Amino acid sequence: MAVHLRLLLILTGLTGIHSITTVSKVSVKSGKSISIPCLYDSQYTNHVKYLCKGYYFSSCSYAVKTNQRNSRTFSISDDKNQRIFTVTINHLTETDSGYYWCAVEINGGADVGEFFHLSVTRGTPRLYVDRQEIKAFIGDKITINCFHHNSGGMKWCRLGGSCVTKSSGSIDGISVTINVEPPNVFTVTMSGLRTESSGWYLCVQGDFQMPVHLTVTQKPTTTTTATTTTTTTLITTTPKLVTLTAGFINTSTNVQGEQQRVSLDLKSLIIPLSLLIITSKRSFTVSPLEETKKASSAMTEKSYAQTDVDVVYSSVVTMRQKSIRKVEANDESVVYSTLA
């Protein structure tokens, strides 16, 4: 019937068999979806494309057009670079079985179209694949399993191009191998893919075809992010310990030549010192205990002036005699030493 219909259309000039290329017969399980590629000539690049259903092209009914919105059941897209428009039929039921036409609208003339037969079955389809859409990178190798429950020769073809009919061959310079084991499946392997390998291919057995779309892209480059580690060193400055050891007046009976001694433990720090000498030439009477208190008070006042260092004082020991005698300073000068 299909051969008779094609011959009739060729004779009447109602089909553009050399203008559009598509599948001839596909089998799909009920509830699934199917995408059908339609390859057209470059002269139809800017024309409206559509899918219609019916036995006769002249009376088929529109299903979807490129200049109209898609529906829930039918959708269409046009790749003008590849010169292929693709129609997709979703949620198939047995009532969707029948003849369809890939067609191009011709302004002021007869439209051109090419038909295919869709068979929707409850059981296992006669020929099917795991998935119709495959994505790969340049240089990759892919494998496609074509499951079949049909008789006839098996081959792998590019839509509108050449086919591999034996166990090995090539399509557009790409290596192709076909493995027919195990039964009811033949496996197609394509190696060394290029961007030019992108397009539509067909699993073929007997009268049935199953289209498979391949997209080959450049593999993304791996970007290494440099991690910069910043080490912060906290330098803690510990004030130098300054130890002042003061020897005070020994309150013995001989109070002449009493000595004050200042010892600074600066480790690596040198602190300039200045000596303030106070000379008193007047005569006065003072007890050794009062003299010690005055010296201690003077040292304490000077120590508060050292605000930028820690000061540690040694213990002040007052040596006492059993009896304390008043000492006449007379005309001798009493010299006190203090830290500036």
Side-chain angles (χ1 to χ4, degrees):
M1 177 71 69
V3 175
H4 178 267
L5 176 61
R6 188 184 300 273
L7 179 60
L8 178 63
L9 293 174
I10 292 173
L11 294 176
T12 58
L14 297 179
T15 179
I17 189 170
H18 299 297
S19 301
I20 299 177
T21 304
T22 187
V23 298
S24 60
K25 185 181 287 189
V26 292
S27 177
V28 187
K29 187 175 182 178
S30 178
K32 299 294 184 177
S33 301
I34 183 71
S35 293
I36 304 296
C38 306
L39 175 67
Y40 57 86
D41 286 349
S42 57
Q43 60 182 319
Y44 303 128
T45 299
N46 296 319
H47 287 238
V48 174
K49 288 86 178 178
Y50 62 91
L51 177 73
C52 65
K53 182 181 180 181
Y55 185 79
Y56 295 104
F57 182 48
S58 58
S59 60
C60 68
S61 58
Y62 291 111
V64 64
K65 299 178 70 173
T66 55
N67 62 349
Q68 295 178 357
R69 296 183 62 180
N70 295 330
S71 66
R72 182 175 178 271
T73 304
F74 297 95
S75 64
I76 188 170
S77 62
D78 187 9
D79 185 346
K80 294 182 179 181
N81 293 325
Q82 294 284 336
R83 292 185 294 106
I84 295 176
F85 69 92
T86 304
V87 293
T88 300
I89 309 174
N90 302 301
H91 315 294
L92 288 164
T93 64
E94 293 181 72
T95 57
D96 293 319
S97 297
Y99 287 94
Y100 292 84
W101 297 81
C102 292
V104 176
E105 199 173 77
I106 306 297
N107 295 327
D111 295 349
V112 295
E114 180 66 19
F115 76 93
F116 63 89
H117 183 265
L118 172 62
S119 174
V120 181
T121 177
R122 291 182 180 181
T124 303
R126 305 296 294 271
L127 178 66
Y128 65 96
V129 293
D130 292 330
R131 61 188 189 277
Q132 278 194 277
E133 184 69 34
I134 298 176
K135 294 183 180 181
F137 296 121
I138 296 174
D140 280 356
K141 177 172 66 175
I142 62 169
T143 299
I144 302 98
N145 294 317
C146 303
F147 302 92
H148 59 87
H149 296 276
N150 192 35
S151 60
M154 294 171 289
K155 56 185 177 180
W156 176 256
C157 303
R158 182 158 191 171
L159 181 65
S162 59
C163 299
V164 174
T165 59
K166 299 180 181 180
S167 60
S168 63
S170 64
I171 295 178
D172 299 333
I174 301 301
S175 175
V176 178
T177 59
I178 298 177
N179 183 10
V180 295
E181 297 179 356
N184 298 326
V185 58
F186 67 95
T187 302
V188 178
T189 301
M190 299 179 67
S191 305
L193 297 175
R194 303 192 298 261
T195 54
E196 297 82 13
S197 304
S198 298
W200 282 95
Y201 294 83
L202 303 173
C203 282
V204 180
Q205 186 184 36
D207 295 334
F208 286 88
Q209 301 92 35
M210 176 54 62
V212 176
H213 185 255
L214 173 62
T215 303
V216 182
T217 58
Q218 180 70 43
K219 189 173 185 178
T221 57
T222 302
T223 303
T224 302
T225 303
T227 302
T228 303
T229 302
T230 303
T231 302
T232 303
T233 302
L234 178 61
I235 302 176
T236 303
T237 304
T238 302
K240 299 293 183 178
L241 181 62
V242 180
T243 303
L244 301 180
T245 303
F248 295 99
I249 301 173
N250 189 345
T251 58
S252 63
T253 55
N254 184 9
V255 295
Q256 295 181 0
E258 290 301 328
Q259 184 180 10
Q260 289 185 333
R261 184 175 64 253
V262 178
S263 173
L264 302 179
D265 180 13
L266 304 179
K267 295 182 180 179
S268 61
L269 178 65
I270 299 175
I271 301 177
L273 301 176
S274 64
L275 184 62
L276 176 63
I277 301 175
I278 303 173
T279 304
S280 175
K281 291 188 178 182
R282 63 186 181 89
S283 297
F284 57 91
T285 302
V286 62
S287 68
L289 181 57
E290 292 175 346
E291 189 70 15
T292 301
K293 291 181 178 180
K294 290 180 178 180
S296 176
S297 177
M299 292 299 296
T300 302
E301 292 175 359
K302 292 299 182 179
S303 65
Y304 286 127
Q306 301 289 336
T307 56
D308 55 346
V309 295
D310 294 335
V311 180
V312 177
Y313 297 96
S314 65
S315 300
V316 178
V317 180
T318 304
M319 304 300 296
R320 295 177 180 271
Q321 292 287 336
K322 291 183 178 180
S323 61
I324 300 176
R325 295 183 294 120
K326 294 184 179 181
V327 180
E328 283 291 329
N330 296 329
D331 293 334
E332 294 179 359
S333 298
V334 179
V335 180
Y336 294 93
S337 175
T338 188
L339 180 62

